[in-house]
Amino acid sequence: MIQAVLADDEVLARQKLRQLLREFPEIDVVGEGASAAETIELVRATKPDLLFLDVRMPDMDGFDVVGQLSAAGAPTMPCIIFTTAYDRYALRAFEIHAVDYLLKPFTLERFRSATQRALDQIKAVKQNPNATVPKNPNGSPYTTRIVFKSKGRILFLPVSEICWIGAEENYVRICTQTESHLLRETMTRIEEKLDPNVFLRVHRSSIVNLKYVKEVRPEVDGEYGVHLVNGQKIPMSRTYRSRIKNWLER
């Protein structure tokens, strides 16, 4: 059995989760927490596999719960699915590798999808306790999608659709074939999340997806430019030219 704890200060919300979980007979709800402190105590006592965690609770928020459980040196943290009526915490939730982020009121389809993903992850670990849980379904340590807010939406943009990324002061501009998005992030941090076999930094202010590179061409000023299949040209600095050379020699 997969043991789960439900943490939400609203009784009706916990009742709804219990009702929805009837579709998953392999999940046994071993406790409910109405506050952060109660949830922390419950998780430490029952050591559940799965935690449905509300973000906003009276005493502390859901991230404080995760922080205290992590600080306590818990040998195995439960898989966490955040449930909340606020979209503003989504990025933070995915930064701590939550399995999913259910925005209330969520649909039955979304609930099923999130719960099944958590079950798959938990079962994989149970079958091989020595294996670490991969951050991504493909087992890669690098991200497969970038999650961010844009124009009032929360976007889950597959990195395979990113053509290039440019720095703009304290932001980065993520460009696809058809649109671009401004994200408050540093080039260094976003570079660390991307697979270096796919994304290459060619300038202090530019990262390109090699999948969209058409050619590297010398320019009239003696510098080189990276030309993408959509016709865009990205400058390449001398500092990063060796990276292209190393990539070509693979």
Side-chain angles (χ1 to χ4, degrees):
M1 291 293 282
I2 305 297
Q3 295 189 325
V5 163
L6 315 179
D8 199 305
D9 62 321
E10 297 179 9
V11 176
L12 291 178
R14 299 199 303 273
Q15 287 178 347
K16 180 181 179 182
L17 287 174
R18 269 189 180 275
Q19 184 179 3
L20 293 174
L21 284 172
R22 288 175 186 166
E23 283 198 19
F24 297 87
E26 68 267 55
I27 295 180
D28 179 26
V29 177
V30 294
E32 298 182 7
S35 68
E38 197 174 305
T39 300
I40 292 169
E41 186 176 342
L42 192 55
V43 169
R44 287 173 178 166
T46 62
K47 298 180 175 55
D49 306 293
L50 178 59
L51 173 60
F52 289 89
L53 181 59
D54 189 14
V55 173
R56 298 283 294 271
M57 288 192 281
D59 43 356
M60 293 181 283
D61 67 28
F63 296 101
D64 292 328
V65 171
V66 175
Q68 292 218 10
L69 290 173
S70 301
T76 306
M77 285 286 289
C79 285
I80 297 171
I81 296 176
F82 280 103
T83 60
T84 179
Y86 303 91
D87 64 2
R88 73 187 72 155
Y89 306 106
L91 299 182
R92 194 174 168 192
F94 283 102
E95 283 178 354
I96 64 168
H97 306 303
V99 174
D100 213 324
Y101 189 90
L102 292 176
L103 192 59
K104 301 175 184 175
F106 47 80
T107 65
L108 177 58
E109 184 180 354
R110 278 287 294 122
F111 178 82
R112 285 172 175 160
S113 170
T115 305
Q116 189 58 55
R117 185 178 303 117
L119 285 179
D120 292 344
Q121 191 173 109
I122 292 165
K123 289 175 182 175
V125 172
K126 283 182 178 290
Q127 289 173 358
N128 186 4
N130 295 322
T132 56
V133 177
K135 293 179 181 179
N136 299 307
N138 63 1
S140 168
Y142 301 104
T143 190
T144 57
R145 60 184 181 179
I146 302 289
V147 185
F148 57 95
K149 291 181 70 173
S150 178
K151 301 171 185 174
R153 303 169 295 165
I154 298 177
L155 296 183
F156 296 76
L157 179 67
V159 296
S160 59
E161 294 182 10
I162 299 174
C163 294
W164 71 283
I165 300 169
E168 293 190 14
E169 298 184 347
N170 295 324
Y171 294 81
V172 294
R173 182 169 294 281
I174 297 176
C175 303
T176 69
Q177 294 264 44
T178 56
E179 56 186 355
S180 69
H181 308 277
L182 207 54
L183 172 64
R184 190 173 181 84
E185 182 63 281
T186 66
M187 290 293 281
T188 299
R189 283 197 58 186
I190 202 161
E191 184 183 20
E192 290 172 350
K193 298 176 183 177
L194 299 170
D195 186 346
N197 291 313
V198 179
F199 287 88
L200 191 66
R201 192 160 184 174
V202 297
H203 190 278
R204 183 170 57 85
S205 303
S206 310
I207 297 171
V208 299
N209 184 339
L210 295 167
K211 171 183 169 185
Y212 296 98
V213 173
K214 179 182 178 184
E215 60 185 359
V216 176
R217 186 189 305 170
E219 306 297 336
V220 292
D221 58 1
E223 297 292 341
Y224 279 74
V226 178
H227 293 251
L228 304 184
V229 292
N230 63 2
Q232 288 183 293
K233 185 179 72 175
I234 313 299
M236 184 173 71
S237 69
R238 293 176 185 273
T239 307
Y240 292 92
R241 191 180 301 174
S242 61
R243 294 191 177 194
I244 283 278
K245 185 173 181 295
N246 292 336
W247 176 70
L248 290 171
E249 292 175 346
R250 287 179 186 173

